[in-house]
Amino acid sequence: MRISENVSLRSYNSFGIGGQARFFASFTSTDELKRLLENPPLPELPHMILGGGSNILFVHNFFEGILLKNEVKGIEVVREDDEYVYVKAGAGENWHRFVMDCIEHNRAGLENLSLIPGNVGASPMQNIGAYGVEIKDCFHELEAYHLKDHALVTFNNADCEFGYRESVFKRKYKGQFAIISVTYRLSKHPKFNTTYGAIEEELKHMGVHELSIKAISQAVINIRSSKLPNPAEIGNAGSFFKNPTVDAAKYAALKEAFPNIVAYPVANGDYKLAAGWMIEQCGWKGFREGDAGVHARQALVLVNYGNATGDEIYRLSQRVLDSVQEKFGVELEREVNIV
Ligand code: FAD
Ligand code: EPU
């Protein structure tokens, strides 16, 4: 449990943004976290919990506080019945490795969420989702440590107020808790979800005749690898913006003006619009200025080709946001956490 000073940020965020943090420390248990938080002058400074750094944009060259990297490990079965296995994972476990562990043990529910970067502890933060599944579909509960009260609190599914890329931890409890562990309820009798996007096509292409969670996971891995830039090669944080929702009247007007607009019906008669399509229509796909750019295969992903600053990426995101507003009259919201 060492506290380092003036630590480079670059290896701690998938955007590969440089700069420094005044202090940096990692912790492997709530006891270690508690001791860190009691260490003067740390209680007075801003602190931020860090997972894999794959959904963060550091916009300042210097983080005047302490970055606390969550390294709480462990995967254990805590309960089991005829239908489900309840598996508790430490927040510092790598998400994809956890999903692979579930698949190896034939525990179903998370296979569509294969290959999402980051750690288990961040998975409830924005209710991660992909290919027709969100973690809320098999989330059971989590334990979170209150950074000021030093109390360990349990949150069940309803307590987290999950929404599309949302939870209480991004809203009313922002910055207040360190998530320590998350328990997922995984099924012994899988319900396969292959309806979304190109999964069925990919399964056919793979020559799969008998469906399994392993095959679905591999199909998702193949699709994701062909579409999304690998942060090890080009800095990025996945989708930079959320897909916005509009009401039926706004959608009808957009459809008339832009007959090819890509949209999906959601609850209450509303429509979710593909932000990537709108950004592409504004001419941004493949745009590059200095080392900041918009990915050439996925316009929803902003990229750092090497030495872009967080501020450059942020200013590019503002230009993208403004042009979508101007062309479509739709306001995009950033999905990435701006620090
Ligand atoms: P970090 O980036 O380290 O942190 C994100 C936020 O959560 C920060 O505000 C941080 O303070 C907070 N935080 C992290 N851990 C904790 C904790 N233990 N306790 C309290 N607060 C914490 N997301 C999707 O939903 N679906 C996708 O399909 C998807 N695809 C992606 C593809 C690529 C190539 C990339 C780079 C990202 C993608 N993402 C996707 C975004 C990202 O992978 C997820 O948001 C992931 O959950 C972030 O995990 P992390 O550990 O890296 O979090
Ligand atoms: N599209 C374009 N041009 C583009 C990008 C997309 O026309 O440059 C169109 C596609 O052709 C498609 C539609 O937009 O018709 C949707 O594209 P895609 O299937 O690639 O998904 P997305 O809406 O861009 C969302 C999530 C991803 C998630 C995928 C798969 C958000 C903000 N993003 O992307 O999540 O992996 O669906 O489920 O909801 C993330 O959150 O970081 C992330 C990568």
Side-chain angles (χ1 to χ4, degrees):
M1 205 185 72
R2 203 167 66 94
I3 301 171
S4 313
E5 237 180 303
N6 297 327
V7 170
S8 168
L9 295 172
R10 202 181 291 277
S11 56
Y12 294 111
N13 70 101
S14 64
F15 250 124
I17 300 294
Q20 288 190 327
R22 168 102 186 269
F23 294 108
F24 176 94
S26 52
F27 60 96
T28 59
S29 66
T30 42
D31 279 351
E32 277 189 10
L33 176 59
K34 183 165 188 284
R35 272 185 280 141
L36 277 169
L37 291 169
E38 285 167 352
N39 224 319
L42 304 189
E44 320 311 325
L45 292 174
H47 29 257
M48 180 185 149
I49 307 295
L50 186 67
S54 64
N55 206 17
I56 287 174
L57 180 67
F58 288 110
V59 288
H60 302 292
N61 262 337
F62 198 73
F63 179 75
E64 181 56 64
I66 176 151
L67 280 185
L68 295 161
K69 184 150 165 55
N70 192 324
E71 304 267 17
V72 178
K73 295 286 193 299
I75 297 178
E76 59 170 326
V77 173
V78 288
R79 190 152 67 121
E80 197 165 342
D81 56 32
D82 289 347
E83 285 289 313
Y84 300 110
V85 185
Y86 294 76
V87 184
K88 178 175 170 177
E93 290 288 344
N94 174 272
W95 174 259
H96 181 64
R97 276 204 292 274
F98 173 58
V99 174
M100 290 298 107
D101 185 79
C102 294
I103 290 168
E104 266 163 42
H105 290 90
N106 219 10
R107 297 168 186 155
L110 298 176
E111 52 282 0
N112 292 49
L113 303 177
S114 298
L115 211 63
I116 295 182
N119 292 349
V120 167
S123 58
M125 289 295 297
Q126 68 161 15
N127 176 29
I128 56 170
Y131 296 94
V133 173
E134 291 180 329
I135 60 107
K136 72 167 171 48
D137 304 333
C138 44
F139 172 94
H140 178 59
E141 64 181 27
L142 63 78
E143 288 176 312
Y145 185 80
H146 196 283
L147 298 170
K148 287 239 152 46
D149 299 348
H150 301 285
L152 197 59
V153 185
T154 300
F155 288 76
N156 67 22
N157 201 314
D159 297 332
C160 294
E161 295 175 21
F162 289 126
Y164 165 59
R165 300 297 191 266
E166 281 299 344
S167 76
V168 281
F169 302 103
K170 272 183 93 174
R171 299 262 175 202
K172 66 182 179 196
Y173 297 143
K174 191 177 162 123
Q176 293 185 31
F177 285 95
I179 295 168
I180 301 296
S181 70
V182 187
T183 303
Y184 281 99
R185 190 198 63 186
L186 299 152
S187 180
K188 292 181 174 177
H189 312 287
K191 288 187 197 76
F192 301 124
N193 188 337
T194 60
T195 51
Y196 190 96
I199 297 187
E200 271 169 8
E201 203 183 307
E202 180 59 29
L203 287 166
K204 223 178 266 167
H205 178 75
M206 286 161 58
V208 171
H209 299 297
E210 203 177 326
L211 215 46
S212 65
I213 56 175
K214 199 172 169 108
I216 293 178
S217 165
Q218 192 56 52
V220 168
I221 290 171
N222 294 351
I223 299 166
R224 292 182 68 94
S225 308
S226 72
K227 272 194 176 184
L228 289 161
N230 179 351
E233 288 157 16
I234 309 175
N236 76 91
S239 302
F240 199 90
F241 304 98
K242 294 184 186 181
N243 286 324
T245 298
V246 294
D247 63 23
K250 173 74 181 171
Y251 172 66
L254 282 168
K255 181 82 183 155
E256 199 174 334
F258 306 98
N260 295 328
I261 193 161
V262 181
Y264 314 89
V266 286
N268 313 319
D270 292 344
Y271 285 82
K272 195 180 268 190
L273 307 176
W277 183 86
M278 292 191 287
I279 296 169
E280 181 176 349
Q281 296 303 304
C282 291
W284 288 107
K285 201 168 182 172
F287 174 89
R288 177 172 179 173
E289 190 170 87
D291 273 353
V294 177
H295 194 247
R297 271 177 293 151
Q298 227 304 357
L300 198 47
V301 178
L302 301 193
V303 292
N304 172 14
Y305 286 101
N307 287 311
T309 64
D311 185 49
E312 283 166 350
I313 302 276
Y314 187 82
R315 281 191 277 119
L316 174 59
S317 77
Q318 191 60 48
R319 288 168 68 190
V320 169
L321 207 145
D322 290 344
S323 68
V324 169
Q325 174 74 57
E326 197 179 316
K327 191 174 172 91
F328 297 98
V330 172
E331 188 171 0
L332 294 185
E333 190 188 336
R334 292 179 181 86
E335 186 213 88
V336 170
N337 297 280
I338 309 297
V339 183

